[in-house]
Amino acid sequence: MMLAEMMTSDHLELLKNQEPRIPHIFPEGINLYWSSLNVTGPETKSTNFLEKFRNNGPKRRVKEILHNVSGMAESGKLLAIMGSSGAGKTTLLNVLTSRNLTNLDVQGSILIDGKRANKWKIREMSAFVQQHDMFVGTMTAREHLQFMARLRMGSEYYSEEERESRVDQVLTQMGLQKCADTVIGIPNQLKGLSCGEKKRLSFASEILTCPKILFCDEPTSGLDAFMAGHVVQALRNLADYGMTVIITIHQPSSQVYSLFHNVCLMACGRVIYLGPGDQAVPLFEKCGFPCPAYYNPADHLIRTLAVIDSDRATSMKTISKIRQGFLSTDLGQSVLAIGNANKLRAASFATKSGIFSYNASFFTQFKALFWRSWLTVIRDPNLLKVRLLQIIITALITGLVFFQTPITPATIISINGIMFNHIRNMNFMLQFPNVPVITAELPIVLRENANGVYRTSAYFLAKNIAELPQYIVLPILYNTIVYWFSGLFPNFWNFCFASLVTILITNVAISISYAVATIFANTDVAMTVLPIFVVPIMAFGGFFITFDAIPSYFTWLSSLSYFKYGYEALAINEWESVTVIPECLNSTVSAFALNGCPKNGYEVLESIDFSAYHKWFNISILFVMFIGIRLIAYVALLIRSYINT
C-alpha cells in the first residue's frame, strides 16, 4: 500500500480530533510516524577536557542537522533510509530510536499508530540492531539465543519448552540451523561464525520477543555483495511476516535495492523522496535526471543527491528541484500532511518515564549471566588455559631458584624475597592481563543494559562469582608449588594461611583491574594509568624500604599498599614459627642478616619493622580492600550504564 493511500483524508481527520480514548489510526498494524523533526547540534565537538567544562567561554556555533523531516514506516514493509555521507540518515535513525542524542536539540513528534510515544514506549515496542555486532565469542549461536531468551522471555511468562521452541524457530527463520552449534568466535583468537552469520544472529537476538518495529543501522556494512544480499533478504522476510523494518544503508547493490518496499532519500538533512523504491527512478527522470542504462539505480539516486563541494550551488539546485517535484506528487502531499500532524493534539501512551520493565526477575538474570560468564571462563583460551600454564611455569621456576632454602643469617633476606616475590608475582601475572578482558566486554554489557536486557547489579554479581573460583584455584596452585619447593616453614596450617594471603592478594589485584577498567573503559588509558598507581604502591610494600625510613609525606601511600599487608602477613606466618636461628646463637658470628644476627623469628620481624600482632589485622585489611575496591568498580559501571541509557 502506498503512503499516499494510507494517509487518506479520513486518517488525517482522525489525527485532528483525537481524544485520549480514540481508536488507533491503523488498528491492524504498527505504523511509525515522525512529524516535523528538527535537530540542531554543535558545529564542532569539544576537543579537550577544559573546553568540555568551561562555563564562561563563548558558546560554540550550532548547525542544523535535520530540517522539518517528516515521514512514516508502514507495518509489514521494509523501509531503507538512504543518502550520501552527511545527509542525516543516521541522525534520523538515532532520533527514531532515541539513542546517541547527547548535545543535540531535538524538536518534533514521533507517533505509533497515531499516538505520541516517548523513548521508553518506543524501546518497549521495538528492537535495534546496531552497525557493529557485539557478542561474547565463546558461546555458540544457539547458546547466545538461549541466553537472550532466558532474559527477554522470563520464566514468569514462558516455560523452558516455549523458550527452546522459540530459539529453534528463530534459528530457522534466520537461516542459522547449520551453524547453530558453532562458537561465535573472537577476532584473532577463536575462529567462529562468518560476518554475515553474525549479522543474522544479531537480528535473531532482537526478534526473539517478536518486536513490532526493527531498526537496523547499516546492516550490510563490511559485507560483500553476496552476504549483503542474504542479510537484507532476511530483513525483507521479517517485513513480509508483518514486522515494520527500518534500516539505514549507504550504497546498496541493485539486487539489494530491489528488496526494499519503500525508500527514504535524504540530502542536507531533508527528505527528498519517501515512497516505493520502484517509483524513485521515474520521479528523478521526470525532474530531468534519468538513470543511465544498466546503471545501479541506488548509485544513481545517491550520486544525484550528493553535494559536491566544488560545485555546491549546482548540487543544491538539483536537490531543490527533485524535492519540489516530489512534494507536488501525492506521495509528497502525504509527507506534508504527516508534518502538519505535529501541530495537532494527539493522545499519548501511558508509560512510566525513565523506568525499565525487565522481562526476567533478578534471580533469573543472575542465573543466565552466571552461566554465560562461566562459559567464558572455561572456554576462552586467554582466561584459563594460558593463565594456568603461566602460573605453573612461573611457580616452578621460582620454586627451583629458591629450592629448599635453609634458615641461616645469610638467607634471611632471601626468604623475605620469596614472600615478597609471592605477592608481586600473583599481582602482575593476573592483574594487568585482566584489564583488556574487562574493557573488551564492557561495550557488550553497556549495550545490553541500555536495551533493558538485565540489571547492572545482576551482571556484576554474576560475573564476579563466576570468576571467583579461578582466583582461588590459581593462587592456591602457585602457593602450593612455591611454598613446598622453596622450603618455607613445613607446617600444614602455615601453608593454609599462606594460601589465604595469596588468594586475598590476588583478589585485591583483580579488584583494582576491575576499578581501572570500569572507570576509564579504554584499554590503552587503563593500562597506562594502572602502573602509575601500582608501582609506587609496590615500592612502599616493606621490602625495598622499611617503614621507619619512609618520609612522613608518603606514609599515607604506605597505608594504601596492599603489597605491605600481604608481605607482612606472609612474613609473620613464616617467622613467628621460627623459634631459633642456630647460627646466631654463636656470639662470634658477624652480621650476615639485617641489623645484626637475629636469634629467632620475632627478631627478624622487628628488623624489618613488622609486628607479630598484625597477622589477622592484615588479613582483615586485605579483605576490606578486596570488597571496597570491587564496590568502587561497581559504582563506576553503574554510572556508565546510567549515562549510556
Side-chain angles (χ1 to χ4, degrees), residues 314-327:
T314 302
S315 298
M316 298 306 293
K317 288 180 181 179
T318 299
I319 293 171
S320 178
K321 184 176 181 180
I322 297 174
R323 175 174 165 79
Q324 292 304 316
F326 166 67
L327 293 177

Side-chain angles (χ1 to χ4, degrees), residues 268 289 304 306-321:
C268 302
F289 305 98
T304 303
V307 178
I308 302 173
D309 291 334
S310 59
D311 195 6
R312 187 175 182 84
T314 302
S315 298
M316 298 306 293
K317 288 180 181 179
T318 299
I319 293 171
S320 178
K321 184 176 181 180

Side-chain angles (χ1 to χ4, degrees), residues 364-472:
T364 300
Q365 294 176 24
F366 171 81
K367 286 195 299 182
L369 288 160
F370 177 85
W371 175 64
R372 184 174 75 170
S373 297
W374 179 250
L375 288 179
T376 301
V377 169
I378 62 177
R379 289 181 183 174
D380 192 325
N382 288 336
L383 287 188
L384 192 60
K385 295 178 183 178
V386 172
R387 286 180 177 179
L388 185 63
L389 187 63
Q390 181 187 38
I391 289 290
I392 293 174
I393 293 175
T394 305
L396 287 173
I397 292 174
T398 304
L400 291 173
V401 168
F402 294 101
F403 188 74
Q404 297 301 310
T405 303
I407 298 178
T408 67
T411 61
I412 289 175
I413 193 169
S414 296
I415 295 172
N416 288 338
I418 294 172
M419 292 180 285
F420 191 80
N421 220 33
H422 225 60
I423 306 300
R424 185 190 63 187
N425 285 351
M426 291 309 302
N427 179 84
F428 288 107
M429 278 194 297
L430 298 177
Q431 184 182 67
F432 279 76
N434 198 49
V435 171
V437 173
I438 300 171
T439 54
E441 189 173 288
L442 199 56
I444 302 174
V445 175
L446 294 177
R447 177 181 290 188
E448 292 173 343
N449 181 264
N451 289 337
V453 179
Y454 50 75
R455 294 173 174 84
T456 304
S457 55
Y459 162 77
F460 194 81
L461 184 63
K463 181 174 177 62
N464 277 264
I465 294 178
E467 291 185 347
L468 186 59
Q470 68 169 315
Y471 297 130
I472 293 176

Side-chain angles (χ1 to χ4, degrees), residues 492-531:
F492 176 75
W493 297 112
N494 289 67
F495 162 74
C496 290
F497 186 86
S499 296
L500 175 62
V501 174
T502 311
I503 291 170
L504 287 173
I505 280 292
T506 300
N507 281 279
V508 172
I510 296 301
S511 294
I512 293 173
S513 67
Y514 264 100
V516 171
T518 53
I519 290 172
F520 297 102
N522 181 277
T523 303
D524 293 334
V525 175
M527 293 294 282
T528 301
V529 172
L530 186 57

Side-chain angles (χ1 to χ4, degrees), residues 101-144:
L101 299 178
T102 306
N103 298 325
L104 296 181
D105 179 37
V106 181
Q107 303 293 329
S109 301
I110 299 176
L111 303 94
I112 295 177
D113 282 348
K115 284 189 176 182
R116 295 181 187 272
N118 61 19
K119 74 174 185 177
W120 307 108
K121 187 62 181 179
I122 292 172
R123 291 189 182 186
E124 177 187 322
M125 303 181 73
S126 67
F128 182 35
V129 179
Q130 299 188 38
Q131 179 176 351
H132 302 292
D133 302 317
M134 291 183 182
F135 300 103
V136 174
T138 52
M139 303 182 80
T140 66
R142 184 185 301 277
E143 288 170 343
H144 172 75

Side-chain angles (χ1 to χ4, degrees), residues 135-138 183-192 198 380-381:
F135 300 103
V136 174
T138 52
V183 293
I184 298 170
I186 303 173
N188 303 319
Q189 294 184 32
L190 190 62
K191 187 177 180 181
K198 287 181 180 179
D380 192 325

